[in-house]
Amino acid sequence: MYKDERSQFVGLFGWKKDDTYFGSVNANDGLSFQINKGEAVAFLGQNGAGKSTALKIITGVSFPTAGKATVKGKVSALLELNAGFDSQLTGRENISLRGQALGLSREEIKELEPGIIEFAELGVYIDQPIRTYSSGMKSRLGFAFAVSINPEIFVVDEALSVGDKRFKQKCVKRIREIMMDQDTTVLFVTHATGVAKEFCTRGIVLDQGEMVYDGPIEAAIAYYETYCGLAAAAKPAYKVENK
């Protein structure tokens, strides 16, 4: 942690002075859990609890500074939909690029491409360079790709900005279809406990980077609603972990 941008720049070279360097904060601290195939797990917690960081580590967007994350299965993530595009390539070419990055064969990409293009509803713009797209158009293409590759592990951050009301409803419907598939493992970040209760059977509650509860979704929601957001002194002095 640095007091200003100049101090942060100096820190890039490993130079740290007592008056500019304030130490570090672990977004996830000693976090450990195992999720089995077919489980639907909700990650609950206040803003800054470490939920999105945990999912970024699972998807390979970020990497742990200590410990390790082991993931077995094809992952599709709805995290940062605009990230990872090559602005010089067309939408169609970016579909191929992302598919190759996931290890899909040319035949698999060719088979998936029509469905992705149809879902994104970009029309003739699919053959235009990504640099000409609005942020909403990029999000639609990113979403269409993520929900079309038949993932074994589906990671969802509830923050979606993918277009108008009609298209958002279409996206929510597709997410629900994937989450209802019992063969797909779902990791779902949300503040909407009603949605979590509808689709998930297990809840992991995070607070300041640490796991404070892991158990059945109803109990996890009750813990989250009762304790999270309260003053530290009002919270239980122990952690509940149902392993």
Side-chain angles (χ1 to χ4, degrees), residues 29-30 207 209-214 223 236-242:
D29 192 2
D207 185 27
E210 299 182 357
M211 182 171 67
V212 293
Y213 193 89
D214 179 2
Y223 185 96
Y238 55 87
K239 297 177 185 178
V240 181
E241 296 182 8
N242 295 335

Side-chain angles (χ1 to χ4, degrees), residues 5-238:
E5 292 183 355
R6 181 180 180 278
S7 300
Q8 187 175 13
F9 177 76
V10 171
L12 292 174
F13 300 93
W15 304 330
K16 300 172 183 176
K17 299 180 180 180
D18 292 338
D19 61 339
T20 61
Y21 180 64
F22 293 104
S24 61
V25 174
N26 292 328
N28 293 147
D29 192 2
L31 186 59
S32 180
F33 55 82
Q34 178 175 314
I35 297 174
N36 298 317
K37 180 180 179 180
E39 280 194 287
V41 182
F43 285 77
L44 306 169
Q46 297 294 315
N47 291 332
K51 305 182 301 297
S52 294
T53 299
L55 296 193
K56 286 180 180 179
I57 291 174
I58 291 171
T59 57
V61 174
S62 299
F63 300 93
T65 52
K68 64 178 181 179
T70 302
V71 181
K72 298 180 180 179
K74 182 169 63 177
V75 179
S76 181
L78 297 179
L79 295 174
E80 298 177 4
L81 297 177
N82 290 340
F85 287 120
D86 187 323
S87 62
Q88 301 304 314
L89 300 180
T90 67
R92 191 185 303 273
E93 290 169 337
N94 269 282
I95 292 174
S96 179
L97 181 65
R98 281 200 169 186
Q100 292 177 51
L102 286 177
L104 300 179
S105 67
R106 292 184 181 275
E107 291 73 20
E108 289 174 318
I109 296 172
K110 187 175 181 180
E111 183 178 346
L112 291 172
E113 185 180 282
I116 295 172
I117 293 174
E118 179 182 1
F119 194 100
E121 299 180 3
L122 294 177
V124 296
Y125 289 102
I126 194 64
D127 291 308
Q128 298 301 310
I130 285 286
R131 68 173 183 274
T132 65
Y133 287 20
S134 66
S135 60
M137 293 168 70
K138 293 177 184 177
S139 294
R140 287 164 67 163
L141 183 59
F143 185 96
F145 182 88
V147 299
S148 299
I149 64 172
N150 301 317
E152 296 171 293
I153 303 171
F154 190 51
V155 179
V156 186
D157 193 319
E158 67 176 350
L160 293 177
S161 178
V162 287
D164 57 28
K165 182 178 180 180
R166 182 194 62 80
F167 194 82
K168 286 181 180 179
Q169 291 175 339
K170 177 181 177 180
C171 294
V172 170
K173 179 181 178 182
R174 178 58 181 143
I175 290 175
R176 289 175 182 269
E177 291 173 351
I178 294 174
M179 293 180 73
M180 292 299 289
D181 186 346
Q182 295 182 353
D183 292 328
T184 302
T185 303
V186 176
L187 312 183
F188 187 43
V189 167
T190 184
H191 292 99
T193 55
V195 176
K197 190 173 182 179
E198 179 180 358
F199 292 108
C200 301
T201 57
R202 175 183 169 191
I204 293 177
V205 184
L206 302 184
D207 185 27
Q208 297 182 20
E210 299 182 357
M211 182 171 67
V212 293
Y213 193 89
D214 179 2
I217 189 62
E218 292 84 359
I221 290 174
Y223 185 96
Y224 168 64
E225 293 180 337
T226 302
Y227 296 113
C228 290
L230 299 179
K235 293 183 182 180
Y238 55 87

